[in-house]
């Protein structure tokens, strides 16, 4: 594993971010962790991976805030879909046990 020079990586990341998003990122460093525009904390090696992703993308990438909002909308849509997909079944546990009791002891009375 090679040693990463943090100034070089941050400088390259800033350039790639500017070209992709049109603005400079706000990078906060604390204890070896880096936060880009108030997003998730990542290590320096993750920033280096993000450089290649930003450079390889042909079109502009959505900002981090828009991605999370978009993901929340998708999750909400999935939750609504699952609620609609559930239908009431005709199976009843109470009725099942009543049938079991009557099958085992014909002529007996059902419990209250």
């Amino acid at each position: 594993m090679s040693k990463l020079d943090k100034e070089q990586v941050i400088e390259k990341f800033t350039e790639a971010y500017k070209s992709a998003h049109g603005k400079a990122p706000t990078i906060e460093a604390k204890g070896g962790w880096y936060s880009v525009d108030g997003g998730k904390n990542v290590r320096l090696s993750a920033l280096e991976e993000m450089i290649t992703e930003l450079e390889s993308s042909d079109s502009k990438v959505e900002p981090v805030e828009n991605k999370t909002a978009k993901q929340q909308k998708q999750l909400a849509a999935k939750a609504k879909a699952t609620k609609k997909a559930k239908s009431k079944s005709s199976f009843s546990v109470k009725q099942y046990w009543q049938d079991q009791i009557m099958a085992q002891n014909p002529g007996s009375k059902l419990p209250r």
Side-chain angles (χ1 to χ4, degrees), residues 6-27 36 47-48 50-51 54-55:
K6 75 175 185 181
E7 286 82 22
Q8 283 182 332
V9 173
I10 291 174
E11 185 178 327
K12 287 180 183 179
F13 179 78
T14 303
E15 291 174 11
Y17 192 90
K18 278 183 185 177
S19 66
H21 296 285
K23 64 174 186 151
T26 305
I27 300 175
V36 180
L47 283 179
E48 189 174 41
M50 292 170 73
I51 292 171
L54 290 171
E55 290 175 346

Side-chain angles (χ1 to χ4, degrees), residues 75-88:
L75 290 175
K78 286 182 182 178
K80 288 181 182 178
T82 56
K83 286 181 182 178
K84 290 180 183 178
K86 292 181 181 177
S87 63
K88 293 186 178 182

Side-chain angles (χ1 to χ4, degrees), residues 31-65:
W33 292 88
Y34 298 89
S35 174
V36 180
D37 288 335
K40 185 176 178 182
N41 292 337
V42 294
R43 289 286 192 179
L44 193 61
S45 60
L47 283 179
E48 189 174 41
E49 292 173 4
M50 292 170 73
I51 292 171
T52 57
E53 291 175 11
L54 290 171
E55 290 175 346
S56 67
S57 65
D58 296 332
S59 62
K60 290 190 175 183
V61 180
E62 294 180 40
V64 175
E65 297 85 25

